[in-house]
Amino acid sequence: MDDKDRELLAQLEGNARLPVATLARRLGLARSTVQARIERLEEKGIIAGYALRLGDAARGDRIRATVLIAIEPRSTPAVLARLKTLTAVETAHTASGRFDMILQLAAKSTAELDQTLDAIGEIDGVKSSESLIHLSTRINRLG
């Protein structure tokens, strides 16, 4: 990956819907060169895909939370399989430190969030959990 690839990725991170012609003009490259770079970055897995990111106006009715969970040794696969069935769980990351996994949740109501937290606590292999309810977003570099 060279500097032009990094610049291309920065442009796409800002707006993945930019036309290739616009990208080419901004990068000072031929349209076909930019298209070839995008295809190469996709093939290498550097660009993993394109997705819709909803803004706060669309997600405003969601209550968001981060949940930290400690898991019994060798229980991660079973815990993860159960977490996949809980629709409020948006992401799950393994972690180092006191907790083994970090979950991002989004629920339509406090009742739904409460049910999800109860369900997480009841999963065989979950030793403990700590919940952090998101109140407001002060910095968001993801979009």
Side-chain angles (χ1 to χ4, degrees), residues 31-109:
R31 185 186 179 290
S32 59
T33 302
V34 172
Q35 186 63 50
R37 283 176 178 263
I38 290 171
E39 289 170 7
R40 181 176 42 78
L41 292 168
E42 289 171 343
E43 288 170 7
K44 288 185 173 184
I46 294 169
I47 296 176
Y50 305 87
L52 173 68
R53 284 188 319 232
L54 297 175
D56 287 340
R59 294 182 305 167
D61 63 339
R62 295 284 187 167
I63 299 167
R64 305 183 68 73
T66 297
V67 179
L68 309 169
I69 59 174
I71 301 171
E72 296 286 345
R74 294 179 292 282
S75 297
T76 301
V79 169
L80 197 53
R82 180 68 178 103
L83 289 171
K84 287 179 181 179
T85 68
L86 302 175
T87 58
V89 177
E90 291 185 323
T91 62
H93 308 275
T94 55
S96 62
R98 200 174 90 205
F99 293 97
D100 302 299
M101 201 168 283
I102 302 167
L103 310 176
Q104 290 293 131
L105 276 59
K108 294 177 186 170
S109 66

Side-chain angles (χ1 to χ4, degrees), residues 102-122:
I102 302 167
L103 310 176
Q104 290 293 131
L105 276 59
K108 294 177 186 170
S109 66
T110 54
E112 180 184 333
L113 181 60
D114 193 36
Q115 289 173 338
T116 302
L117 294 172
D118 286 347
I120 290 168
E122 293 170 358

